Amino acid sequence: MGIYHRWSKALKIDTLAKAVLSISSILLVFLFLDTEEIIKNVLQISPLKFLLAVFLNIGAFYIYALRWSTLIHVPKGNYNSSLGKYFFANYLNFFTPANLGGDIYRASAFSRPDLRTPQVLIFLIFERVAALAVFLFFLLLAFLSLDLEVPKTIISEVLVEHSYYWLVIFFLFILILATICIFFLKAVKAGRIAKWIYEIWERFTIKGFLIFFSLTTAGLAVSAGCFDIISSSLDLRVPYTAWLLAFIAAELSRWIPVSIQGIGIREATFASVGAAVMGEPEVFFLVGAAGYAAQSLAVAGSIFQAQIHYRLAK
């Protein structure tokens, strides 16, 4: 009981600290932004386009669900059951930080005789790391496509003017790292975890990589497109790659568990990108807030998709 109470108290303190940081981030953003401009633009957002953004987010969830089903090789005939589990896990993410609730549920729900719970956990880690690599790749591409105001320094010249070389280096690094991991796992045959990781890597063929990359790209494109659709209500001429850059940067900021679901941090990230891209942080802040509100509604509505697919599986 003593350990439970200490853990519960620590969790409450952690949640309270994150809540304070989230609220403080939003207040600081409003302190430096033109609140009248934000309020004026709020009234211009089309409810129909906001609703469309919600449904597009649901579509992105289906793409990610398909990616997960392909990754763990869901047996034929179990797709509706798999979708039901995935959407219920997505619903749990609405209440838990860093998607931990959904990941823990998936580790248990997707285990089967030929895929034990520790192996599912390895797949989850692999999914996160591989998706992060794809996100970083498109973050770099989006950055290269935009004419950002970068201060002229020695560091900026090395990073920006030679950025295409960095893109090649990034791919070589991933390839070399994967090769080292393979040789290491072959050498270290002892240990059940190492054996499971190696078996998973063997199943992840070139075809599997292309499928994973394609589905992650499609989901990313749809998710970023939600912000583009919302921004069209404001008659903005912002390139799609700007929203892609802002969305990826905001998603990466959510990996740092310092706020509740990244609230405050992600909107501030959008404002920062807006200031760099076109000097309008207020508009980017508003579109970011509205886009994540649409995403939150889609996540909360995942419980209905879960129920639908559970019934179809019967």
Side-chain angles (χ1 to χ4, degrees):
M1 287 295 290
I3 296 176
Y4 171 77
H5 283 299
R6 284 197 296 270
W7 180 83
S8 178
K9 184 178 180 180
L11 184 62
K12 290 178 181 178
I13 293 174
D14 178 70
T15 304
L16 179 61
K18 289 180 179 179
V20 170
L21 183 59
S22 292
I23 296 171
S24 300
S25 300
I26 294 174
L27 291 177
L28 282 173
V29 169
F30 274 106
L31 184 65
F32 291 102
L33 298 183
D34 187 350
T35 54
E36 291 183 3
E37 181 73 14
I38 294 174
I39 295 171
K40 182 183 74 175
N41 286 321
V42 166
L43 301 176
Q44 295 181 21
I45 294 179
S46 168
L48 289 177
K49 290 184 177 180
F50 179 80
L51 188 61
L52 178 58
V54 174
F55 282 106
L56 278 177
N57 272 294
I58 295 173
F61 297 155
Y62 272 103
I63 294 172
Y64 292 135
L66 178 60
R67 183 185 70 182
W68 173 249
S69 298
T70 305
L71 190 62
I72 64 171
H73 296 175
V74 171
K76 291 183 178 180
N78 291 348
Y79 289 116
N80 275 308
S81 176
S82 175
L83 285 171
K85 294 174 184 177
Y86 186 90
F87 274 100
F88 185 71
N90 202 41
Y91 172 69
L92 293 177
N93 291 335
F94 188 75
F95 304 99
T96 56
N99 296 342
L100 288 178
D103 286 351
I104 292 172
Y105 174 77
R106 276 200 282 169
S108 173
F110 284 97
S111 62
R112 54 181 194 256
D114 64 325
L115 191 67
R116 302 171 69 179
T117 298
Q119 292 172 289
V120 180
L121 281 172
I122 295 171
F123 267 117
L124 284 166
I125 295 171
F126 182 85
E127 181 192 40
R128 287 286 189 95
V129 174
L132 175 62
V134 176
F135 271 43
L136 290 174
F137 170 69
F138 281 104
L139 178 70
L140 184 56
L141 282 185
F143 179 80
L144 294 175
S145 69
L146 295 170
D147 185 19
L148 301 180
E149 292 294 330
V150 181
K152 287 291 183 180
T153 62
I154 295 177
I155 295 177
S156 68
E157 289 181 3
V158 172
L159 293 179
V160 178
E161 294 185 11
H162 303 286
S163 50
Y164 287 100
Y165 294 106
W166 287 109
L167 187 62
V168 175
I169 291 172
F170 171 76
F171 270 113
L172 289 176
F173 172 76
I174 296 296
L175 182 62
I176 292 171
L177 183 62
T179 305
I180 292 173
C181 289
I182 290 173
F183 279 112
F184 175 77
L185 292 173
K186 282 184 176 179
V188 187
K189 293 183 179 179
R192 189 174 298 176
I193 294 177
K195 181 181 177 182
W196 284 340
I197 295 174
Y198 182 64
E199 288 176 354
I200 290 171
W201 182 260
E202 280 189 321
R203 292 170 62 179
F204 202 63
T205 59
I206 294 177
K207 179 182 177 182
F209 167 77
L210 291 175
I211 292 173
F212 184 92
F213 182 84
S214 300
L215 291 174
T216 303
T217 302
L220 178 59
V222 173
S223 297
C226 296
F227 299 93
D228 192 34
I229 287 173
I230 291 175
S231 70
S232 64
S233 300
L234 307 177
D235 294 326
L236 291 174
R237 293 183 178 179
V238 180
Y240 171 80
T241 47
W243 300 118
L244 182 64
L245 176 64
F247 174 67
I248 296 176
E251 286 298 295
L252 292 177
S253 71
R254 295 176 66 186
W255 280 60
I256 306 173
V258 295
S259 63
I260 297 177
Q261 297 291 350
I263 296 173
I265 304 298
R266 61 196 188 190
E267 289 81 5
T269 303
F270 263 81
S272 300
V273 173
V277 172
M278 56 182 298
E280 293 194 25
E282 290 84 4
V283 174
F284 271 68
F285 172 83
L286 174 60
V287 172
Y292 274 109
Q295 187 187 85
S296 296
L297 286 175
V299 172
S302 292
I303 187 64
F304 300 109
Q305 271 77 38
Q307 293 299 322
I308 291 170
H309 289 289
Y310 278 140
R311 292 185 180 183
L312 290 174
K314 293 181 180 179

